[in-house]
Amino acid sequence: MQPKAARNIPIEALRLIAVAGIAVFHTFQWTFQATCIGAVEYAPLAIFPYSGALGFINLLGCWANEVFFMISGYFLIASAARAWDGGATWKSQMQRTVQRLGKVVMPTAFYCVVALAWSTVVSPIPDVTLNTHYWYTLGLEFIWVYAATVFMAPWFGLAKSRLSQKSNTVTVIAVGIFAFVVNGYLAAMSATSGGEFSWLQKLMSAVTYVIAFLIGGLLRDVTGAMDSEKAGALGTRSLAAVLAIATILEGVLSFTGNLTAMAVLSYKSTSLISFALAAASLLFAATRRSASGNPRTAGVIVTLSTATLGFYVMQSLASSLWRPVFNTLLANILVSQNSPAAICIITGTVISIVFALALLIIDAARSLIVRKLKRQ
C-alpha cells in the first residue's frame, strides 16, 4: 500500500518506536518499583549494570508520551498557523478540530464499550464496571490530556501567526523553563511532606505534556529554517549527545546503587532528560529523508503508526489482565534461572514488543473495517 504523500515516514516510524517504549516501560514498571524498594526476590536486578538497564527502561514511558505530544505539536501548530494566515475563520478551525477530536474520542469510546461488554457478559475485568469510573477517566488520563491539547491547537496556531518567530520561540522556552522549575519545586516539597503535593505533580505532568506539544511546534520552525544537510547533522548530533548523557547518567546511578535518584529522574513531570531525549528524537526523525525505498515497508509503517491510540487504550483498559501475568513471569524468571537478571530483561522486552504489535494489528484491522463500512 502506497502511503499518503503527507506522511513523513521517519516520524511515523518514531511513533512505532515510542509504542515499543511504552510497552516495555509498562511491563517493567512494577519490577522497577519493587527493585527500588529492595524487594528480596528482585535483588538480582538491583545491581550494576542491570539496575541501569531498568532505569533506562523507566525513562521510556515519559519519553514516549512526550514524543507523541511533540509529534502532534510539530504538525498541528504549523497547520493551524497556516490556516490563520490563509484567512481561516474560527468556524473552519473548530470544524477541523472536531474532526481531529473524533479520531481520538470515537476509537476510545469503542474500546471502552467493548471492555465493558466483555467484563459484563464474558469474563470480569477488574474495576471495569458500570459502577466504577476510574477505568475510563483517570485510567485513560493520557488520552484525555491529549484530546484537550489537540483542542487547544487553534489557539496555539493563532499565537504563532500573530507573534514574530523570535517572540514565539522566547515565550515557549520561557514557559517551558518555568514549568520545569515548578515541577522541581513540587517534587522537593512532596519528598519532604510525605507526598502531600503528589496531586499537584500529576497535574503538572499534564502541563509538561502541553509544553512538549509547544516544543514540537518550535522544532518545526528549526527544521523549516535550516539547510537540510545542516538540520540532518544537528539532529544526529543532538540525539547521539542526549543518548550518551542518559546512558552515562543511568550507568553512574546504577554503579553507585542510587535507585532512588533513578526513580525521581524518570517521573513524568521532573524527567528533564526524557524531555530532551524526546526533542532530540523528533529532530532526528524530522531531518531524515521522508521517502522510503520500499513502498510496502512505508505502507506498513503508516498503517501501524495510525493504530497508536488504539494500542494505548487497549493496553490501559486490559492492564489488570495482562500485567499480573507479565509480573508473575518476570518474577519466576528471577528465582529460577542461572542468569536471571539478563534473561528477565530480555524476556520482558520481547514479550512487550510482541504484545504491542498484536494490539497495533488489532486496531489497524478495526480501522480497515470502519473505512470499508464508510465507503459502503
Side-chain angles (χ1 to χ4, degrees):
M1 180 181 70
Q2 180 69 35
K4 294 180 181 179
R7 293 287 185 177
N8 184 305
I9 302 304
I11 291 181
E12 298 306 315
L14 178 61
R15 290 186 201 268
L16 295 181
I17 296 172
V19 165
I22 282 285
V24 175
F25 162 73
H26 280 152
T27 293
F28 284 99
Q29 190 173 15
W30 165 250
T31 301
F32 181 74
Q33 293 171 359
T35 302
C36 288
I37 63 175
V40 176
E41 59 270 36
Y42 292 91
L45 291 171
I47 60 175
F48 177 84
Y50 304 114
S51 60
L54 273 188
F56 192 89
I57 286 172
N58 211 50
L59 292 177
L60 293 179
C62 186
W63 166 79
N65 286 344
E66 285 163 351
V67 162
F68 293 141
F69 275 85
M70 286 186 188
I71 290 175
S72 293
Y74 184 88
F75 291 111
L76 296 186
I77 293 177
S79 175
R82 284 195 305 269
W84 287 121
D85 291 337
T89 63
W90 275 106
K91 181 179 179 180
S92 63
Q93 288 279 40
M94 287 298 100
Q95 286 175 338
R96 296 174 66 188
T97 300
V98 168
Q99 291 176 347
R100 293 189 183 112
L101 287 176
K103 295 178 181 179
V104 175
V105 174
M106 295 307 294
T108 303
F110 170 79
Y111 286 118
C112 284
V113 171
V114 170
L116 181 61
W118 183 279
S119 183
T120 304
V121 178
V122 182
S123 177
I125 301 175
D127 301 324
V128 178
T129 68
L130 281 173
N131 300 322
T132 57
H133 58 81
Y134 180 87
W135 59 279
Y136 63 85
T137 54
L138 290 179
L140 296 175
E141 174 189 10
F142 173 83
I143 299 296
W144 305 128
V145 172
Y146 178 74
T149 307
V150 168
F151 179 76
M152 292 187 288
W155 281 268
F156 295 143
L158 180 62
K160 180 178 176 62
S161 69
R162 297 294 184 266
L163 296 173
S164 67
Q165 185 169 330
K166 181 178 180 181
S167 297
N168 181 63
T169 301
V170 170
T171 300
V172 171
I173 292 176
V175 171
I177 292 173
F178 176 75
F180 273 101
V181 169
V182 173
N183 288 342
Y185 173 77
L186 290 176
M189 293 297 292
S190 184
T192 59
S193 62
E196 181 181 346
F197 293 87
S198 59
W199 68 274
L200 277 174
Q201 285 183 279
K202 286 190 69 67
L203 178 62
M204 286 304 297
S205 294
V207 172
T208 304
Y209 291 153
V210 178
I211 301 299
F213 189 84
L214 294 173
I215 292 296
L218 288 189
L219 290 175
R220 181 64 174 263
D221 294 337
V222 172
T223 59
M226 295 182 67
D227 174 80
S228 59
E229 289 188 7
K230 290 183 179 179
L234 176 62
T236 300
R237 289 196 298 266
S238 299
L239 181 58
V242 180
L243 269 175
I245 292 171
T247 303
I248 292 171
L249 187 58
E250 294 296 338
V252 169
L253 293 176
S254 173
F255 187 76
T256 58
N258 198 340
L259 303 186
T260 301
M262 278 188 185
V264 173
L265 185 69
S266 59
Y267 187 75
K268 287 179 289 186
S269 64
T270 53
S271 186
L272 189 57
I273 188 67
S274 291
F275 195 92
L277 186 58
S281 299
L282 177 55
L283 182 59
F284 176 81
T287 53
R288 301 306 98 187
R289 291 185 178 180
S290 183
S292 172
N294 188 327
R296 286 190 176 183
T297 300
V300 169
I301 291 173
V302 170
T303 299
L304 292 179
S305 69
T306 56
T308 296
L309 182 131
F311 151 80
Y312 195 97
V313 176
M314 283 188 284
Q315 190 195 48
S316 297
L317 292 176
S319 62
S320 59
L321 298 179
W322 64 263
R323 193 185 296 273
V325 175
F326 284 17
N327 288 344
T328 300
L329 173 62
L330 298 183
N332 288 340
I333 290 174
L334 290 174
V335 299
S336 63
Q337 300 292 332
N338 294 327
S339 302
I343 294 176
C344 175
I345 292 174
I346 292 171
T347 301
T349 301
V350 171
I351 63 174
S352 301
I353 294 174
V354 171
F355 181 51
L357 181 59
L359 296 186
L360 288 172
I361 292 173
I362 290 172
D363 190 65
R366 178 200 62 82
S367 297
L368 178 62
I369 293 171
V370 169
R371 288 195 299 271
K372 285 186 175 181
L373 290 176
K374 286 182 177 179
R375 285 197 296 266
Q376 292 176 356

